[in-house]
Amino acid sequence: MPPTDSSASRTSHLSGSLCPHNYLNQHRTWVNKRFRSQEGEADRIIEYWNYLDRPETFISVGDSDDELGRMLAVLRFWFTKDLKYVKGKPCKPYNSVLGEFFRCNWVIDDNATPVLGSAHKVSADRTVSTDNKPVKVSFLTEQTSHHPPVSAFYYDCREKGITARGFDQLSAKFTGTSIRVIPGNHNLGIFINIESRDNEEYQLTHPAAHLGGLHKGTLSVTVADTCYVTCPQTRIKAILHYVEEGWLGKTQNKVVGVIFRYEPENDKTSRIKDVPETDIVAKVEGCWHDKIYFTLTGSKESSILIDLNPLFPIPKTIPPMANQLPNESRRFWSSVTEAILEKRYKAATDLKTELEERQREKAKEREANNIPWKPRFFTGAVTPLGRPELTSDGRAVLDGMIEDKFALEENKIYGA
């Protein structure tokens, strides 16, 4: 039996997608390189760079028979995907090394209520009911590039025919009192595909975020930007605007948005105020730390989209350490993690430095021998644009995860 991530409650505030809508997780230079003095704040960057804090919202995005209902379900997933940072705090994770990878499963009951209209919780071929039954989602991510730092990711809910993929990369700038983080050139967001709905694809882009509290040592994340969710097949688009906080008063974490009909072939609308009222089918508003509501056009009553208050991240199921390769995140960083949890911070720093120096030496060896680096599980380091594709090894990994078969062949070349 593979181990469940029993540390979920402890690590739910650690590292990963450090901004509520995804970024600070891969910043390699903000915050000094000292290990934090609080026990338990040791984690691998690509492990916590995942979006399935509440996987039941992900597996339900295609349930509704109503195309607006599916867009609303995608937005519900969006507001839960970084729950760990709503419930906890951002921290500095380890720096991923080239070729490092992480894989896991989530097994959850398919019990998320439909957002709008009639719904069918069924398998991808529409023949087997999944209502209130356990459903598995498998996840694979790999550090595909070191300069610039980029990782590719892929989620596969084979039973319901739902996948998600993308590249994670960020660009950061110190503003004097905080760090502003935006998606890098290779980060075009999350691409969700729903096979049972004629392969509808939803692109979810990331807003900019600010990491504050650097001088006081109490890190906090604020978002004040606009992001977009588009589905060319249904010709429905959502604009979400995260409202900038005032200088005085309590943080509001307010978000407002509209869902509207658009023309994918001629789409230039980037601001809510530019959306014609006649195209709007629903409006969204609320606090992304609390509750989000939606109101259908023509109605004066709002309905709850998601209440984050009772929700916490769902634990992952991870391959046993005996089945993990040397460059698999938990095994690769195990000695550093052990030292941190035992509060041997000097030893942890030395071990971390040793691993990172090993990566530099491997890079020099490849350069001297004219051996280009190629990811193992994805076809390109930063290609195809925005939508990484799996290699045969990558597909084999996900096939094995789905069947709880975790053994893998050793790498021929290691990045560190």
Side-chain angles (χ1 to χ4, degrees):
M1 176 70 70
T4 297
D5 185 11
S6 59
S7 62
S9 60
R10 183 198 72 196
T11 60
S12 63
H13 64 283
L14 302 186
S15 55
S17 53
L18 291 182
C19 129
H21 295 293
N22 180 34
Y23 305 124
L24 305 179
N25 53 335
Q26 197 179 354
H27 192 347
R28 277 25 183 209
T29 56
W30 59 267
V31 190
N32 61 44
K33 293 200 180 248
R34 288 180 304 127
F35 288 109
R36 300 180 66 85
S37 60
Q38 297 175 348
E39 182 177 359
E41 293 191 358
D43 223 331
R44 286 83 18 197
I45 197 169
I46 62 173
E47 171 177 348
Y48 254 75
W49 198 337
N50 79 76
Y51 304 113
L52 262 62
D53 284 343
R54 298 299 302 194
E56 77 277 12
T57 65
F58 175 70
I59 66 173
S60 65
V61 294
D63 286 353
S64 178
D65 293 330
D66 185 290
E67 57 190 20
L68 174 56
R70 294 194 293 278
M71 173 59 81
L72 286 166
V74 170
L75 293 180
R76 177 170 64 179
F77 156 74
W78 173 262
F79 287 113
T80 63
K81 71 181 181 61
D82 294 305
L83 188 63
K84 63 178 75 64
Y85 302 109
V86 172
K87 299 295 183 176
K89 59 183 177 179
C91 295
K92 172 82 168 69
Y94 304 147
N95 298 339
S96 295
V97 300
L98 189 62
E100 180 182 342
F101 77 101
F102 177 78
R103 53 183 170 144
C104 72
N105 287 328
W106 290 269
V107 179
I108 62 280
D109 289 339
D110 192 5
N111 57 11
T113 56
V115 180
L116 185 68
S118 60
H120 296 88
K121 292 183 176 294
V122 294
S123 58
D125 60 10
R126 316 291 290 177
T127 62
V128 179
S129 172
T130 60
D131 191 17
N132 284 310
K133 295 179 181 178
V135 172
K136 181 180 290 183
V137 183
S138 297
F139 173 54
L140 173 65
T141 181
E142 179 182 15
Q143 189 76 10
T144 54
S145 171
H146 189 63
H147 297 293
V150 178
S151 64
F153 63 85
Y154 201 99
Y155 299 87
D156 190 351
C157 180
R158 192 77 53 87
E159 188 171 359
K160 298 196 69 174
I162 301 171
T163 61
R165 56 179 171 162
F167 288 105
D168 279 327
Q169 180 204 7
L170 62 82
S171 176
K173 181 179 181 180
F174 185 63
T175 64
T177 58
S178 66
I179 294 171
R180 185 174 187 267
V181 186
I182 61 174
N185 293 334
H186 304 292
N187 185 341
L188 302 186
I190 306 169
F191 292 86
I192 297 176
N193 183 274
I194 308 174
E195 178 186 341
S196 63
R197 300 294 180 179
D198 295 324
N199 288 305
E200 285 179 1
E201 182 181 71
Y202 294 79
Q203 180 182 6
L204 298 75
T205 68
H206 300 296
H210 286 83
L211 179 70
L214 301 178
H215 300 306
K216 295 181 180 179
T218 55
L219 303 182
S220 62
V221 174
T222 58
V223 183
D225 197 14
T226 300
C227 61
Y228 309 93
V229 180
T230 53
C231 179
Q233 290 89 341
T234 63
R235 307 175 79 84
I236 297 178
K237 176 177 178 176
I239 299 178
L240 299 176
H241 177 65
Y242 291 81
V243 180
E244 186 172 3
E245 304 290 348
W247 288 98
L248 301 175
K250 185 179 179 181
T251 300
Q252 300 297 314
N253 297 313
K254 185 178 180 181
V255 61
V256 296
V258 294
I259 305 172
F260 60 101
R261 303 283 180 182
Y262 83 117
E263 296 180 7
E265 307 83 1
N266 188 34
D267 178 32
K268 298 179 180 179
T269 306
S270 60
R271 300 183 299 181
I272 291 177
K273 67 179 184 179
D274 294 334
V275 179
E277 283 291 333
T278 53
D279 292 341
I280 296 175
V281 293
K283 295 184 177 181
V284 176
E285 66 176 342
C287 169
W288 52 266
H289 275 218
D290 186 9
K291 298 183 181 73
I292 303 293
Y293 299 89
F294 69 93
T295 306
L296 300 179
T297 296
S299 173
K300 295 182 179 180
E301 293 187 6
S302 297
S303 301
I304 188 77
L305 179 63
I306 186 72
D307 180 0
L308 299 175
N309 290 292
L311 304 181
F312 288 87
I314 297 292
K316 306 177 284 290
T317 301
I318 299 159
M321 192 67 77
N323 291 126
Q324 294 186 25
L325 296 186
N327 61 325
E328 202 153 348
S329 285
R330 290 208 174 185
R331 180 175 169 185
F332 184 85
W333 294 103
S334 59
S335 60
V336 182
T337 300
E338 181 179 354
I340 293 175
L341 297 180
E342 292 176 355
K343 300 184 179 181
R344 295 184 290 112
Y345 301 117
K346 173 63 165 59
T349 300
D350 293 342
L351 289 165
K352 176 176 177 290
T353 301
E354 179 183 329
L355 291 172
E356 292 172 344
E357 181 59 33
R358 194 167 76 191
Q359 176 178 223
R360 287 187 279 271
E361 292 300 320
K362 291 281 188 181
K364 291 178 182 177
E365 290 176 12
R366 290 195 304 274
E367 184 177 4
N369 293 291
N370 198 27
I371 300 175
W373 173 262
K374 292 183 180 180
R376 177 177 178 182
F377 303 117
F378 294 89
T379 59
V382 295
T383 58
L385 183 63
R387 300 172 175 85
E389 294 181 354
L390 296 166
T391 61
S392 57
D393 277 1
R395 293 195 177 279
V397 168
L398 288 174
D399 290 345
M401 293 298 293
I402 290 167
E403 298 175 8
D404 289 333
K405 296 179 180 178
F406 306 115
L408 294 177
E409 291 185 4
E410 290 275 349
N411 283 30
K412 293 181 175 61
I413 299 176
Y414 286 98

